[in-house]
């Protein structure tokens, strides 16, 4: 049961509207009160229309969510290129992979859940299609390659700003005459 001044009650739109109406009713001038009430009613109606449009859009988008991949996400997913936001923007333009697998490097998303704001790329989908032992083997390979690359960069001095400057000077990355410091 919702009680007055509780978090559940005070968070509802109806409660907030009721509070605004009470504030307006406290005004002394009847003309101002009527004008404010009219503005509040127009604002409330506009908000209701927008909520209805949003709900209709969400219902239409829900029909596109047909792919079930429980290893990736509990909800059904839809092809990202078929989804739009409430404002009409194609979801492909704003979607970024949730980076579920170690091999994911933000490749283009192909599956999305609009209600959860969840996106998965092709690499993540393929990763979870693999048996667990294959996932573990690939993860070890990936981590080993990553460590080797970091060691190589440390050895080459790529992570050291002074070495990077010397390397630029030696390879003449700036173009023209070598820089003299």
């Amino acid at each position: 049961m919702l009680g007055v001044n509780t978090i559940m009650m005070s968070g509802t739109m109806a409660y907030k509207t009721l509070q605004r109406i009470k504030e307006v009713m406290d005004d002394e001038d009847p003309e101002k009160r009527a004008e404010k009430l009219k503005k509040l009613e127009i604002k409330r109606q506009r908000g209701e229309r927008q909520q209805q449009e949003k709900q209709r859009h969400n219902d239409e988008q829900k029909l596109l969510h047909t792919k079930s991949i429980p290893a990736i996400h509990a909800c059904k997913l839809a092809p990202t290129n078929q989804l739009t936001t409430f404002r009409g923007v194609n979801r492909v333009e704003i979607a970024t992979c949730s980076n579920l697998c170690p091999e994911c490097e933000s490749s283009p998303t192909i599956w999305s859940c609009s209600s959860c704001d969840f996106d998965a790329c092709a690499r993540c989908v393929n990763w979870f299609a693999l048996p667990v032992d294959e996932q573990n083997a690939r993860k070890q390979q990936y981590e080993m390659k990553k460590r080797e690359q970091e060691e190589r960069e440390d050895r080459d001095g790529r992570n050291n700003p002074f070495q990077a400057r010397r390397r630029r000077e030696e390879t003449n990355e700036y173009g023209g005459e070598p820089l003299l410091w």
Side-chain angles (χ1 to χ4, degrees):
M1 182 169 147
L2 296 177
V4 176
N5 292 330
T6 64
I7 294 173
M8 292 288 288
M9 183 66 177
S10 61
T12 63
M13 184 62 130
Y15 181 81
K16 290 176 184 176
T17 303
L18 181 64
Q19 291 297 26
R20 284 192 207 112
I21 291 172
K22 283 182 179 180
E23 289 172 9
V24 169
M25 296 302 275
D26 290 340
D27 288 347
E28 296 175 16
D29 187 11
E31 291 175 13
K32 285 184 179 179
R33 185 182 316 143
E35 186 178 321
K36 283 184 178 180
L37 284 173
K38 186 177 179 182
K39 285 181 181 179
L40 281 174
E41 182 61 25
I42 290 170
K43 196 173 187 178
R44 185 190 62 77
Q45 289 174 352
R46 190 178 316 134
E48 282 182 7
R49 274 195 311 272
Q50 191 174 20
Q51 274 302 110
Q52 289 171 349
E53 289 174 18
K54 212 174 211 180
Q55 186 61 45
R56 184 179 47 76
H57 178 265
N58 288 343
D59 291 343
E60 289 172 359
Q61 295 289 298
K62 278 273 191 232
L63 296 175
L64 299 172
H65 290 71
T66 56
K67 180 81 168 178
S68 179
I69 311 174
I72 293 180
H73 191 63
C75 302
K76 289 188 175 184
L77 302 173
T80 306
N81 61 355
Q82 293 180 7
L83 297 175
T84 59
T85 65
F86 176 64
R87 302 282 183 226
V89 177
N90 192 319
R91 185 160 176 99
V92 171
E93 296 175 25
I94 59 170
T96 55
C97 184
S98 298
N99 297 321
L100 304 172
C101 73
E103 295 180 351
C104 180
E105 295 175 3
S106 300
S107 59
T109 59
I110 57 168
W111 295 104
S112 296
C113 175
S114 28
S115 59
C116 299
D117 193 25
F118 173 85
D119 304 299
C121 69
R123 285 186 178 183
C124 289
V125 172
N126 294 337
W127 174 265
F128 284 98
L130 296 172
V132 176
D133 56 340
E134 178 69 20
Q135 287 179 10
N136 292 335
R138 280 183 145 185
K139 188 174 184 177
Q140 287 176 348
Q141 283 178 334
Y142 176 77
E143 289 171 355
M144 193 165 41
K145 283 181 183 178
K146 190 174 181 181
R147 269 195 308 272
E148 289 172 359
Q149 181 180 1
E150 287 172 356
E151 289 171 2
R152 199 175 321 112
E153 287 176 356
D154 286 342
R155 203 174 41 249
D156 294 345
R158 287 199 175 109
N159 293 335
N160 182 334
F162 299 109
Q163 291 290 335
R165 183 172 128 192
R166 182 178 294 136
R167 198 175 46 259
R168 281 194 303 270
E169 290 170 358
E170 290 170 358
T171 58
N172 201 7
E173 288 181 17
Y174 296 107
E177 297 283 326
L179 297 176
L180 300 175
W181 302 101

